[in-house]
């Protein structure tokens, strides 16, 4: 009998248990567990990050559902280019807004990663982040849950947010 050429790693050290739990259940029959050092880790645990509803949640959803008018007039929000590539402007706007909110909360732009399955969408997001950094270099500070605010936050860092395809990011990690 030939032994299998792989071994399932049963402990993951990167993701919050809520995020990892879905992956474990969906792809690994629940066999992958989260190490206690990562199980409850949140962005708000970082010293430089303000505790807000966003930074105290391990996962959020942002709706980019098309309106009835967009469905009727445009057939939805996704666009297919001449070469068949897919892009979605609503997703791009949501990414830029979310990244800006994270930066305003004190998250280092180098700790933010945006992952998309489509190369054309990656390029569109990169351009939008760079343009937003130039158009809105500063925004008013975000209030923390404790009600305190700090100086005006620079959004020049939006251009430093890493954007990659699923395949190109595999094996790397970020906050």
């Amino acid at each position: 009998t030939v032994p299998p050429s792989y071994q399932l790693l049963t402990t993951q050290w990167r993701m919050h248990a809520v995020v990892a739990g879905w992956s474990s259940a969906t792809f690994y029959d629940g066999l992958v567990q989260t190490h206690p050092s990562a199980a409850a880790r949140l962005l708000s645990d970082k010293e430089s990050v303000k505790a807000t509803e966003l930074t105290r949640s391990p996962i959020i959803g942002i709706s980019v559902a098309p309106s009835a008018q967009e469905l009727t007039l445009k057939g939805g929000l996704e666009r297919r280019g001449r070469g068949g590539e897919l892009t979605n402007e609503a997703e791009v706007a949501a990414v830029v807004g979310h990244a800006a909110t994270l930066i305003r909360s004190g998250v280092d732009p180098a700790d933010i990663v945006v992952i998309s399955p489509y190369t054309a969408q990656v390029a569109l997001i990169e351009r939008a982040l760079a343009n937003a950094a130039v158009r809105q270099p500063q925004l008013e500070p975000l209030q923390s849950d404790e009600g305190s605010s700090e100086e005006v936050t620079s959004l020049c860092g939006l251009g430093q947010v890493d954007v990659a395809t699923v395949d190109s990011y595999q094996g790397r990690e970020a906050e």
Side-chain angles (χ1 to χ4, degrees):
T1 306
V2 176
S5 60
Y6 67 91
Q7 180 176 353
L8 178 66
L9 299 175
T10 57
T11 302
Q12 70 85 21
W13 297 68
R14 296 179 179 180
M15 297 175 277
H16 189 284
V18 171
V19 178
W22 172 84
S23 176
S24 177
T26 303
F27 300 110
Y28 303 105
D29 295 322
L31 297 174
V32 178
Q33 300 300 309
T34 300
H35 189 272
S37 67
R41 183 173 49 210
L42 299 169
L43 280 172
S44 60
D45 295 339
K46 293 180 66 91
E47 194 172 305
S48 64
V49 177
K50 295 177 187 85
T52 66
E53 184 178 350
L54 174 65
T55 63
R56 287 185 287 104
S57 177
I59 190 168
I60 64 159
I62 301 172
S63 176
V64 292
S67 67
Q69 182 180 13
E70 288 167 324
L71 281 173
T72 303
L73 297 176
K74 300 178 184 177
L77 299 175
E78 287 188 344
R79 297 288 168 256
R80 194 170 288 279
R82 290 184 185 127
E85 65 278 0
L86 282 174
T87 59
N88 184 317
E89 292 279 350
E91 288 177 1
V92 172
V95 164
V96 171
H98 187 65
T101 301
L102 289 172
I103 292 169
R104 290 173 64 208
S105 297
V107 177
D108 185 335
D111 287 339
I112 301 172
V113 177
V114 178
I115 300 173
S116 173
Y118 305 114
T119 303
Q121 186 76 348
V122 165
L124 193 60
I125 293 167
E126 287 174 330
R127 280 195 309 275
L129 287 166
N131 288 339
V134 170
R135 281 193 326 268
Q136 294 182 305
Q138 296 184 337
L139 282 180
E140 290 302 313
L142 193 65
Q143 293 281 337
S144 71
D145 287 347
E146 291 80 36
S148 65
S149 64
E150 296 177 13
E151 69 282 349
V152 172
T153 304
S154 172
L155 288 183
C156 293
L158 280 170
Q160 298 169 23
V161 171
D162 194 9
V163 186
T165 62
V166 175
D167 291 340
S168 69
Y169 201 78
Q170 189 170 347
R172 294 164 48 193
E173 65 180 271
E175 296 298 324

